[in-house]
């Protein structure tokens, strides 16, 4: 059974996570509050774990790399697609102002709300619905984190971002098992995209999903 501290030491030693505030956020949030009781022993193994509805909570290193790439600022308003367990949002909640997290599976939206409440987190709102459409009501957003694999970054989400806003999304055909994690900045001339490498995510559902 691994510990929280072992993961922190590994990220610092290999310079995978260099953002001190992000490491602090990881230290504050208990991952065991966001997983199913039967996996408690594995809370700090660096693996994804099954949650409800055939979905998974991402592996800690992936969560941390994605959040680091978002360059969160204290005043940021975030759109997350795929609340899942609520864990990703819980870590981000310590580094920004407000998160709107959309979840398409009803029982997972409830699971995320319950976990976030239990962890005492108040600046995350979980919304039930199809996040491939983004969430128009509170747009424009500073940053967007898509946590399910999409065929391409949905135009509706790009439209809901501020200029210089950053979108992080696993993009690609899921049949191959892997997607490219894309970091895209919205500029007046369009998206400036870079690849952060290959990762494996569950497929996005909904109108602009698979
Ligand atoms: N961020 C989550 C893990 C995400 S797994 C966590 O920290 O636990 C991907 C999630 O995306 C799943 O919960 C899945 O139900 C959700 N999802 C898939 N397609 C979606 C869509 N179109 N809109 C909203 N959520 C979606």
């Amino acid at each position: 059974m691994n510990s929280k501290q072992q993961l922190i030491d590994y990220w610092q030693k290999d310079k995978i996570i260099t953002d001190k505030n992000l490491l602090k956020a990881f230290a504050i949030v208990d991952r065991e509050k966001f997983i199913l009781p039967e996996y408690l022993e594995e809370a700090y193994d660096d693996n994804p774990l099954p949650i409800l509805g055939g979905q998974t909570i991402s592996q800690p290193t992936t969560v941390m790399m994605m959040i680091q790439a978002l360059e969160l600022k204290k005043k940021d308003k975030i759109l997350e697609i795929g609340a899942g367990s609520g864990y990703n949002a819980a870590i981000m909640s310590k580094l920004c102002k407000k998160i709107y997290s959309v979840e398409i599976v009803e029982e997972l939206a409830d699971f995320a709300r319950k976990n976030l409440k239990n962890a005492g987190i108040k600046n995350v709102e979980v919304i039930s619905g199809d996040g491939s459409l983004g969430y128009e009501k509170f747009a424009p957003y500073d940053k967007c984190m898509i946590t399910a694999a999409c065929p391409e970054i949905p135009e509706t989400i790009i439209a809901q971002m501020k200029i210089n806003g950053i979108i992080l999304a696993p993009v690609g055909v899921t049949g191959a098992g892997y997607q490219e994690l894309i970091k895209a900045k919205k500029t007046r001339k369009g998206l400036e995209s870079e690849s952060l490498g290959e990762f494996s995510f569950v497929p996005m559902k909904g109108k602009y999903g698979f």
Side-chain angles (χ1 to χ4, degrees), residues 51 55-58 80-89 102-105 108 129-132 147-148 202-206:
I51 41 177
Q55 304 300 319
T56 53
I57 175 172
S58 300
E80 182 184 41
I81 312 305
S85 65
Y87 179 70
N88 203 334
V102 188
E103 174 56 57
I104 201 165
V105 177
L108 278 172
D130 178 6
S132 76
T147 71
V202 297
M204 183 187 253
K205 306 173 189 180

Side-chain angles (χ1 to χ4, degrees), residues 67-199:
I67 297 177
Q68 182 163 260
L70 264 190
E71 302 170 25
L72 294 180
K73 306 257 176 347
K74 268 279 163 222
K75 57 163 193 26
D76 278 354
K77 180 167 65 170
I78 314 292
L79 174 66
E80 182 184 41
I81 312 305
S85 65
Y87 179 70
N88 203 334
I91 304 236
M92 292 197 291
S93 78
K94 307 291 178 198
L95 304 165
C96 66
K97 189 164 178 205
K98 180 85 193 184
I99 300 162
Y100 297 96
S101 185
V102 188
E103 174 56 57
I104 201 165
V105 177
E106 195 66 50
E107 66 172 339
L108 278 172
D110 291 340
F111 184 58
R113 283 187 198 104
K114 186 187 90 217
N115 295 341
L116 287 159
K117 190 168 181 214
N118 184 31
I121 291 163
K122 299 197 169 76
N123 57 339
V124 180
E125 189 174 322
V126 178
I127 293 135
S128 303
D130 178 6
S132 76
L133 304 167
Y135 195 61
E136 183 61 43
K137 190 169 170 191
F138 298 107
Y141 301 95
D142 296 289
K143 313 277 163 68
C144 175
M145 165 89 83
I146 302 180
T147 71
C150 42
E152 53 187 52
I153 300 177
E155 285 295 335
T156 43
I157 292 182
I158 299 169
Q160 291 170 18
M161 301 299 296
K162 291 184 189 170
I163 294 292
N164 291 325
I166 297 173
I167 304 173
L168 221 68
V171 177
V173 179
T174 56
Y178 288 91
Q179 299 87 40
E180 260 193 300
L181 183 59
I182 300 293
K183 175 176 177 176
K185 189 177 210 175
K186 177 173 171 175
T187 72
R188 289 190 195 283
K189 292 186 193 138
L191 284 188
E192 275 172 15
S193 301
E194 61 174 303
S195 172
L196 303 182
E198 284 196 337
F199 291 82

